[in-house]
Amino acid sequence: MTAVRVRTAVASIALWLAGSFAANAAVLANCGFSGGGGDGLARAFYLSLFPGDTVDTVTLGHRSTIPGERTIRLTMRLNNYAGPVLAVAETTTQVDNDMSPTIFRFDGRAVPPGFLLAFTQEVVAGNTSVLYDTGDDTPAACSNITQTQGSTAPLDDFRRASVGIMVTGSSADLTNVTTFGCPFDPQFETQSIAGVGLVVESYPGISLRTVRLRLLTNTFSIKSVQLTARLDRFDGPLVGTAIHVMDPNVSVPSALFNFGSLPVPGGARLTFVLTQLSGDGTISYDKGFGSCDDVYERFDTTVPPIQPRGGSVGITITGDVGSATPIAAVEYFHAGFGHYFMTAQADEIAGLDGGAYGGAFTRTGREFDIFDGPVAGAVPVCRFFTVTFAPKSSHFYTADADECAFVKENPDWQYEKVAFYVRRYNAGCPAGQVPVYRIYNNGMSGAPNHRYTTDLALYGTFVNTQGWAAEGIRFCAVP
């Protein structure tokens, strides 16, 4: 990017049954897989007190002594196996003798939170000889999951208190939930941590609290392991680090890395690198139960994670999720630079209002409402930072995916994060939203700077009397 400008690139159940989109995706049920023998599909199961209001995916495990391709149908009903059908999903998959995961996609189907969801399965194409994973019967994870004797049996016709399952969807709770998960491998297939990076695409949370992995070592000694989290790339902006101590006297291989509660842009790509800090021998991690959506491993952390990927990794992440309720993006002015800056991040707002950077930033009194996570119909706003024009620095924002990708390749600008989420402008703004205009200072301050406003009169004043360049409507927001 030159000093001149940025290139512009081209209540009732009936209501719930109407459907919606998951605004704050999380893992809503996670009963571990056993990888064992399994039960026939005629035995149904249910989830009671469902803690979400949508269902995105349901992952089950299947196997057969007669290998081959099957199309399996999963039907989700409300209250019981004869209740109203909420949704039906079908998946065609190769089913072999070893248990493997099958993902059923419900695409954010709305469900009333706190109700009971009943599930039945059937093979609609291929040999009907299929078993499904009955879970590891871990009480903490499977407390609201029950399998019954048959698909027409009463709900109290109990068979067992577990089913191997992972359910994702929109969480009714927003804080300290399981934001992301890939099931652990029942057979604990591992990969050495040496030189390997882990990547989570489209992270649905807005904070990072804990990351749980399963680690294994080949020597009987205490070891400390550090997990480093960054944004976008393995050399991207640092999110934070956390340390876990492996104690050989503790037989459970679960490793919990506690990050506290660090802000993370909703929908961001997260990269993780494990580093052995002390102790002898090698350390390996669980590779996960099959290939999971949006998580994979890289065997070269010196390249961007968008290069060809390796396998998956068993992982559970907790944090906070975004809300469909808009929040304010607040505008500040740096009189010394003559530059404008905006942020919706609570810690940044508190810092600037409290006098950070010598009190150089002051509120302009202008703001507009945006979203802190990837809610329905919203797109991410990329935020960039430059010190190329020192002693002045500047930020740049774009909701255009092509423009974001273009600026990422410019060495003068450092990609920081997804700043927030907005509605896309498409020949107009959605009801209740207004256009956000972008104007450019033409480098008159000695460094590029842009301002974003919903005020058309202010936009015109800057263009017509102050020499700024008009860059048009860039996205939509609440005034």
Side-chain angles (χ1 to χ4, degrees):
M1 181 175 300
T2 68
V4 178
R5 68 188 306 162
V6 176
R7 187 187 76 170
T8 302
V10 215
S12 68
I13 290 178
L15 176 63
W16 287 102
L17 295 179
S20 70
F21 181 86
N24 45 6
V27 177
L28 303 175
N30 187 7
C31 184
F33 293 86
S34 68
D39 269 351
L41 302 193
R43 302 191 189 280
F45 64 93
Y46 63 87
L47 277 67
S48 60
L49 300 175
F50 186 68
D53 50 29
T54 70
V55 174
D56 287 347
T57 65
V58 175
T59 300
L60 299 170
H62 293 103
R63 64 177 292 268
S64 176
T65 57
I66 305 175
E69 187 175 87
R70 268 78 162 182
T71 299
I72 303 174
R73 177 181 297 161
L74 182 65
T75 300
M76 178 172 62
R77 296 177 181 268
L78 188 66
N79 288 329
N80 57 61
Y81 304 133
V85 174
L86 290 172
V88 177
E90 291 185 2
T91 297
T92 299
T93 185
Q94 178 70 23
V95 181
D96 296 320
N97 191 53
D98 293 330
M99 195 71 73
S100 61
T102 305
I103 300 176
F104 297 91
R105 303 184 186 280
F106 288 92
D107 298 326
R109 183 57 175 158
V111 298
F115 278 67
L116 182 148
L117 303 181
F119 293 87
T120 56
Q121 303 176 75
E122 60 178 320
V123 176
V124 295
N127 191 288
T128 59
S129 176
V130 177
L131 303 176
Y132 75 104
D133 195 298
T134 54
D136 66 0
D137 199 17
T138 303
C142 309
S143 58
N144 64 334
I145 299 173
T146 303
Q147 187 194 49
T148 56
Q149 298 290 354
S151 60
T152 59
L155 295 179
D156 59 357
D157 193 359
F158 176 84
R159 179 172 176 81
R160 60 168 48 88
S162 69
V163 169
I165 189 172
M166 177 174 284
V167 181
T168 67
S170 179
S171 174
D173 293 325
L174 300 179
T175 59
N176 201 17
V177 299
T178 301
T179 49
F180 187 87
C182 178
F184 295 118
D185 183 1
Q187 309 306 319
F188 206 173
E189 181 185 356
T190 63
Q191 167 67 45
S192 171
I193 69 172
V196 174
L198 313 177
V199 182
V200 173
E201 298 278 4
S202 304
Y203 177 64
I206 60 170
S207 75
L208 182 64
R209 290 179 179 265
T210 66
V211 175
R212 187 178 295 278
L213 301 167
R214 289 207 302 181
L215 302 180
L216 188 70
T217 180
N218 64 346
T219 60
F220 193 80
S221 65
I222 293 179
K223 301 173 180 62
S224 61
V225 187
Q226 177 175 283
L227 184 65
T228 301
R230 294 183 179 272
L231 292 178
D232 197 45
R233 302 162 64 108
F234 295 116
D235 59 352
L238 178 68
V239 175
T241 61
I243 294 176
H244 171 76
V245 177
M246 299 180 66
D247 187 344
N249 296 309
V250 179
S251 59
V252 178
S254 180
L256 183 67
F257 295 89
N258 193 335
F259 287 86
S261 183
L262 300 177
V264 174
R269 174 194 287 144
L270 297 181
T271 67
F272 297 97
V273 174
L274 286 158
T275 306
Q276 184 172 338
L277 300 180
S278 66
D280 59 350
T282 62
I283 299 174
S284 300
Y285 63 87
D286 187 311
K287 287 177 61 67
F289 187 46
S291 179
C292 297
D293 287 351
D294 292 332
V295 59
Y296 55 92
E297 56 191 1
R298 283 288 311 145
F299 296 104
D300 184 356
T301 59
T302 64
V303 298
I306 55 176
Q307 297 295 320
R309 62 186 63 183
S312 64
V313 53
I315 190 171
T316 301
I317 305 177
T318 67
D320 306 322
V321 291
S323 170
T325 301
I327 62 172
V330 179
E331 185 186 56
Y332 292 85
F333 181 64
H334 191 302
F337 290 177
H339 287 180
Y340 293 90
F341 168 76
M342 63 178 178
T343 180
Q345 196 167 306
D347 59 341
E348 290 184 339
I349 292 172
L352 295 178
D353 289 346
Y357 304 103
F361 290 88
T362 57
R363 287 195 185 219
T364 65
R366 294 180 179 272
E367 59 185 50
F368 48 78
D369 281 355
I370 46 74
F371 301 99
D372 61 358
V375 302
V379 295
V381 173
C382 299
R383 180 171 124 179
F384 296 88
F385 177 67
T386 183
V387 291
T388 298
F389 310 93
K392 295 186 176 183
S393 59
S394 188
H395 283 83
F396 173 71
Y397 307 78
T398 179
D400 186 310
D402 291 337
E403 189 172 53
C404 178
F406 171 75
V407 180
K408 281 183 178 180
E409 297 303 316
N410 191 314
D412 288 342
W413 290 85
Q414 173 189 337
Y415 172 75
E416 285 192 322
K417 57 187 167 185
V418 174
F420 42 76
Y421 281 76
V422 296
R423 304 290 190 192
R424 188 189 303 276
Y425 179 83
N426 185 17
C429 286
Q433 304 269 304
V434 296
V436 176
Y437 301 89
R438 190 172 81 191
I439 44 181
Y440 170 60
N441 72 350
N442 278 317
M444 292 182 296
S445 68
N449 186 238
H450 294 75
R451 191 176 187 186
Y452 303 77
T453 181
T454 59
D455 188 335
L456 184 58
L458 182 145
Y459 179 77
T461 297
F462 268 64
V463 172
N464 297 322
T465 68
Q466 298 190 31
W468 287 51
E471 295 196 336
I473 299 170
R474 311 311 299 175
F475 50 83
C476 302
V478 180

